[in-house]
Amino acid sequence: MLAGLRGAGCPARVLILTARGDVEDRVKGLKAGADDYLAKPFSLDELVARVEALGRRGSTPTAADLLTVADLHMDVQHRRVTRAGQNIGLSPREFDVLQVLMQEPGRAFSRTELCERVWQRDHEYDTRTVEIFITRLRKKVDSGFTAPLIHTLRYVGYTIRAPA
């Protein structure tokens, strides 16, 4: 199963905790794609230290970290956005709204769904707030370009897509 996830490009860090501590079991687990392997019995201090070590490891950007729609590029890990090579400065919430749109280009998102994904709360927000952020994003992302990327779908919501 782990080898299948790794083959599909899953970048998650994996620590195997198991009762199987033989050398061949450890080698098999590591070759399958585990980042670390810990056999029982183990001390809690050692487990914490290994998890902390996994957290310190640098990660290389994956496809999920680098989003692209036409000439708009987003580096999720470093929270940078460029269009046609020009840096675009975004507030944290603007970045989050744009990230949701860019993760599924062409998909229509209702204001409610954008609120739930960005603010991660149910029914504690005003969906008109999304309109404000979309307006700001249009000014920053689409202003000065002939082909806009952010679109309103009347009675549906918002989407981002490359020009036809």
Side-chain angles (χ1 to χ4, degrees):
M1 184 161 107
L2 179 56
L5 287 172
R6 292 298 192 215
C10 179
R13 295 179 183 120
V14 175
L15 168 62
I16 294 178
L17 301 175
T18 181
R20 300 181 140 190
D22 295 336
V23 172
E24 66 184 47
D25 291 322
R26 291 190 304 246
V27 169
K28 186 178 176 184
L30 293 168
K31 283 189 173 186
D35 296 293
D36 201 351
Y37 193 102
L38 188 56
K40 293 179 185 176
F42 54 83
S43 79
L44 188 56
D45 290 338
E46 181 181 10
L47 173 62
V48 169
R50 287 176 183 257
V51 169
E52 288 173 349
L54 286 173
R56 285 191 304 268
R57 289 188 185 167
S59 61
T60 57
T62 65
D65 293 331
L66 303 172
L67 304 174
T68 300
V69 176
D71 59 349
L72 180 66
H73 303 285
M74 176 182 277
D75 179 344
V76 175
Q77 204 171 43
H78 296 102
R79 296 188 72 84
R80 288 190 205 121
V81 177
T82 61
R83 180 155 186 203
Q86 299 173 22
N87 286 326
I88 300 172
L90 300 177
S91 72
R93 288 288 188 215
E94 290 167 346
F95 185 94
D96 294 342
V97 171
L98 185 60
Q99 181 181 357
V100 169
L101 293 172
M102 289 184 72
Q103 285 173 334
E104 297 182 63
R107 180 172 181 258
F109 290 91
S110 69
R111 288 183 297 192
T112 302
E113 185 176 5
L114 283 170
C115 282
E116 289 171 355
R117 287 194 181 201
V118 173
W119 284 267
Q120 300 176 349
R121 289 177 268 159
D122 289 332
H123 311 296
E124 293 182 25
Y125 45 73
D126 182 353
T127 58
R128 289 176 290 182
T129 302
V130 171
E131 293 174 29
I132 294 167
F133 282 94
I134 292 293
T135 300
R136 289 179 186 170
L137 283 172
R138 282 191 173 121
K139 286 179 183 174
K140 293 180 178 185
V141 172
D142 288 338
S143 182
F145 294 93
T146 56
L149 301 178
I150 300 170
H151 302 275
T152 300
L153 303 173
R154 189 175 282 254
Y155 305 114
V156 178
Y158 303 99
T159 188
I160 191 167
R161 64 175 179 255

